[in-house]
Amino acid sequence: MNTLPTIAIIGGTGKEGKGLAFRWAKTGYHVIIGSRTPEKARSTAAELITLLSGTPDSSMLLSPTVYLDSADNLTAAQHADILVLTVPYAAHRSTLESIREAAQGKILVDVTVPLVPPKVTKVQMPPSGSAAQEAREILGEGVEVVDAFQNISYEHLLAEKSVECDVLVTGSSKEARQQVLELVKAAGMTGWDAGPLENSVVVEGLTSVLIHLNKQYGLRSSGIRIIGIPAE
Ligand SMILES: NC(=O)c1ccc[n+]([C@@H]2O[C@H](COP(=O)([O-])OP(=O)(O)OC[C@H]3O[C@@H](n4cnc5c(N)ncnc54)[C@H](OP(=O)(O)O)[C@@H]3O)[C@@H](O)[C@H]2O)c1
């Protein structure tokens, strides 16, 4: 029996959500791809199954320990233990409002970067301080909100090689951050507990700095790595 938590990816048909789904499904998590359009979710799940196994099967069952399902965003949120939000910032509030009830008592991992096109190389934080703090205000205290993966380009996620960028994890409680650090590890990356939700301003803002560096120096999906780790 699969005892790992079920993960719903809200907006899982996009670039970042698909990459995260690929990594977690590969390591045995039950992942539900969510979308506004169930058919789009279904074709994304089928695409990932093909990537993972070579042949999509009608029950979406890859092996006794690997599952990938699809649903509309609300149904996905209702059937999961952990919700992961991967939608553009313009859709952040409306999407959160649509799953607010289903999210109660659960962890919501917010991957959103509050980019305001066209100036995506400039840090432009919302009045709440960060997208994650805004999410907590919308969802209420019954939902643990954790910020993660903002600095990981989707290009790394679908690649087989290891990701050369660490993941800073901020969140509304230490316990929730710890659970998300497990997900970071399962996805093949090094995660760091980067403190309370108020610190999300740095993590989310860093993405605009990385996009600026990519443009300025012609870098390919730049990232960060934490140093100073004591030798064992
Ligand atoms: N791309 C990256 O490398 C990267 C890296 C780090 C963080 N992020 C952040 O992760 C989030 C997702 O990025 P992405 O590149 O994956 O975005 P994306 O591919 O443009 O969109 C993701 C999904 O969001 C849904 N969506 C789009 N517009 C919407 C709307 N107006 N209302 C509701 N849902 C809408 C769509 O799903 P349906 O049409 O199926 O509903 C879409 O497939 C963003 O906040 C981004 O800043 C991205």
Side-chain angles (χ1 to χ4, degrees), residues 11-17 34-37 40-41 73 85-91 94-95 111-115 149-155 207:
T13 56
K15 299 180 281 294
E16 190 77 359
S35 168
R36 290 168 294 176
T37 316
K40 192 172 164 190
N73 282 330
L85 182 65
T86 55
V87 296
Y89 181 61
S94 60
T95 307
V111 185
T112 309
V113 181
L115 299 176
F149 304 110
Q150 281 79 6
N151 310 140
I152 309 290
S153 165
Y154 77 95
E155 292 189 6
T207 303

Side-chain angles (χ1 to χ4, degrees), residues 1-9 19-33 48-49 52 60-69 79-84 107 109 149 178-188:
M1 205 181 101
N2 190 347
T3 55
L4 294 170
T6 296
I7 305 169
I9 311 210
L20 289 169
F22 173 74
R23 292 214 160 218
W24 287 320
K26 207 165 132 182
T27 51
Y29 282 81
H30 179 187
V31 179
I32 310 173
I33 301 286
L48 286 173
I49 287 169
L52 284 157
M60 299 292 175
L61 179 66
L62 291 170
S63 79
T65 53
V66 183
Y67 296 87
L68 241 163
D69 283 316
H79 287 86
D81 306 302
I82 297 180
L83 318 183
V84 178
I107 292 175
V109 183
F149 304 110
Q178 196 51 48
Q179 282 198 54
V180 175
L181 284 168
E182 292 293 320
L183 294 183
V184 173
K185 192 173 169 197

